[in-house]
Amino acid sequence: MIRKLYATDYDAATAILRLVLGVVFFAHGAQKMLGWFGGYGFSATMGLFTGMLHIPAPLAFLAIVAEFFGGLGLILGLLTRIAAFGIGINMIVAIVTVHGALGFFMNWTGAQKGEGFEYHLLVLAMAVFLMIRGAGALSVDRAIAVAATSPPPQSDLAHT
């Protein structure tokens, strides 16, 4: 079971998708968790989520954690399937609780009340792809999977 969690191929396209999605979510998570990149930080984000958006505190906490640590996990390619799952769930909750009521399209022209869910749907598709395929090339998951399937090195002492 644990081997399936790390299993992946050495696909460059998968790695590119993972890295880009990871950078995007790490940046958004860092805004919420640390206040970086013009964000409000953990306390203010929790206040917004629980007060204005009426998201229960445990779910608000999980959303922040999923974005920050999920993004970091995707960048490193570490526990990619779990990181992608967290981000995917985050997108489903965002669609159901906020963006679904605003329609499909993003608010490119400023004519609608908020952002639709097309971005969230794209991210959900990327997350599902990574849950199916794994991390791809240049990932900690790949290094673990290769190490787990490689035969142990022979000791010189065994030949004496």
Side-chain angles (χ1 to χ4, degrees):
M1 176 74 173
I2 195 80
R3 287 187 183 182
K4 287 183 180 182
L5 185 63
Y6 292 109
T8 190
D9 55 18
Y10 196 74
D11 186 58
T14 302
I16 291 168
L17 181 108
R18 171 182 52 80
L19 285 167
V20 171
L21 188 62
V23 167
V24 168
F25 271 86
F26 176 76
H28 283 281
Q31 286 180 314
K32 293 172 179 76
M33 179 81 78
L34 305 172
W36 293 0
F37 312 116
Y40 298 112
F42 184 78
S43 295
T45 302
M46 282 293 291
L48 170 72
F49 282 6
T50 57
M52 249 178 121
L53 298 175
H54 306 292
I55 297 171
L59 296 179
F61 174 78
L62 287 174
I64 295 167
V65 167
E67 287 189 21
F68 183 76
F69 289 109
L72 190 58
L74 291 181
I75 291 169
L76 298 173
L78 176 63
L79 299 171
T80 299
R81 287 181 170 91
I82 293 171
F85 178 76
I87 289 170
I89 294 297
N90 205 357
M91 293 298 97
I92 290 170
V93 170
I95 290 169
V96 170
T97 61
V98 177
H99 300 280
L102 300 170
F104 178 74
F105 294 102
M106 298 295 292
N107 192 13
W108 298 110
T109 62
Q112 62 194 55
K113 196 173 183 178
E115 303 292 346
F117 64 90
E118 67 178 310
Y119 163 81
H120 306 85
L121 193 59
L122 287 170
V123 170
L124 184 57
M126 290 184 242
V128 169
F129 178 88
L130 292 171
M131 285 187 279
I132 293 168
R133 293 288 299 265
L138 305 173
S139 65
V140 175
D141 288 352
R142 172 88 177 142
I144 292 169
V146 168
T149 59
S150 299
Q154 295 290 327
S155 169
D156 287 338
L157 295 175
H159 299 291
T160 58

